[in-house]
Amino acid sequence: GENVEQHPSTLSVQEGDSAVIKCTYSDSASNYFPWYKQELGKRPQLIIDIRSNVGEKKDQRIAVTLNKTAKHFSLHITETQPEDSAVYFCAASIWANNLFFGTGTRLTVIP
Amino acid sequence: SQTIHQWPATLVQPVGSPLSLECTVEGTSNPNLYWYRQAAGRGLQLLFYSVGIGQISSEVPQNLSASRPQDRQFILSSKKLLLSDSGFYLCAWSGPLIGNQPQHFGDGTRLSIL
């Protein structure tokens, strides 16, 4: 089955700086890559996703890049704000909507 | 718009007791439904998914089971809980089309086994 690895496990940045979280996947057939944000005790919420037919997608301060050859994808958050502090999960899917999640990155934005 | 409801929000159960967690979705037909477990400080582990009534696929062998008695209802059960069953259980839904449909999560049930 698919194996998704996520790094780093924790990340601290100063407010206004950028944050980058990286994930790798094992199955080259994966074609859908969502990112979820989970605040403490809350549900994971989809913040952005990318499909394998594009290499980059941007939504305001959030962007995701995908390198199919290297089988890795990254989340980029620019101009970080304290409310960006949360745990972020990447995931990969091979059709059938069965998501395989990374182990999460705890992002702390220091005011 | 679509909404997903999950209950109870928290549950404390003794070892060996049964379990029933319920999830319902509103505003969509024939959704794909999922049960995940999240251990403290860990990622999400897919337990079961369903593409239709009575159709259940299990991803991880364990003492849990799932059922889908109605189109928009998904139930997670156990006959005898183990200490290792503690965790945060999340139900999710996605559109009925095959492939690349975003999954949306419920608020979760925090289960503690004593």
Side-chain angles (χ1 to χ4, degrees):
Chain A
E2 175 66 280
N3 181 46
V4 178
E5 295 189 357
Q6 183 172 347
H7 300 281
S9 57
T10 60
L11 178 62
S12 293
V13 298
Q14 290 292 135
E15 182 177 358
D17 287 350
S18 296
V20 180
I21 302 171
K22 299 181 179 181
C23 289
T24 60
Y25 60 99
S26 61
D27 195 324
S28 57
S30 288
N31 55 10
Y32 175 65
F33 307 90
W35 286 88
Y36 286 85
K37 174 184 180 182
Q38 186 177 29
E39 297 178 6
L40 188 63
K42 301 290 183 63
R43 69 172 79 180
Q45 293 194 307
L46 179 70
I47 55 172
I48 195 168
D49 57 11
I50 191 168
R51 290 163 172 79
S52 60
N53 58 343
V54 298
E56 184 173 0
K57 183 177 179 181
K58 190 173 182 180
D59 182 3
Q60 300 183 341
R61 297 187 295 109
I62 294 174
V64 57
T65 59
L66 171 64
N67 183 326
K68 288 193 297 181
T69 302
K71 291 188 283 188
H72 67 70
F73 56 113
S74 301
L75 177 71
H76 304 254
I77 306 175
T78 58
E79 301 173 26
T80 53
Q81 301 167 4
E83 51 265 38
D84 293 329
S85 296
V87 179
Y88 291 81
F89 292 96
C90 64
S93 173
I94 311 170
W95 294 110
N97 306 309
N98 294 342
L99 292 177
F100 293 86
F101 283 84
T103 50
T105 296
R106 183 174 300 279
L107 173 65
T108 302
V109 179
I110 304 166
Chain B
S1 63
Q2 301 88 0
T3 57
I4 179 168
H5 302 281
Q6 199 178 333
W7 68 92
T10 59
L11 189 60
V12 180
Q13 292 284 97
V15 170
S17 63
L19 173 73
S20 180
L21 303 181
E22 190 162 344
C23 171
T24 60
V25 180
E26 297 177 357
T28 186
S29 295
N30 196 29
N32 294 330
L33 297 172
Y34 310 84
W35 278 111
Y36 289 87
R37 176 169 59 203
Q38 186 176 31
R42 304 288 298 278
L44 287 82
Q45 179 186 38
L46 179 64
L47 302 176
F48 301 95
Y49 70 93
S50 171
V51 298
I53 295 175
Q55 300 179 62
I56 309 294
S57 296
S58 174
E59 291 296 308
V60 182
Q62 58 221 319
N63 68 319
L64 300 172
S65 62
S67 61
R68 186 169 176 174
Q70 300 181 43
D71 180 44
R72 289 168 289 177
Q73 183 184 29
F74 205 25
I75 297 172
L76 182 69
S77 303
S78 174
K79 293 181 179 178
K80 293 180 73 172
L81 287 166
L82 307 173
L83 281 173
S84 57
D85 290 324
S86 292
F88 191 41
Y89 287 82
L90 290 154
C91 180
W93 74 273
S94 67
L97 298 175
I98 293 296
N100 298 347
Q101 296 294 311
Q103 289 187 22
H104 304 279
F105 288 86
D107 286 329
T109 295
R110 191 162 302 281
L111 175 63
S112 300
I113 310 300
L114 303 179

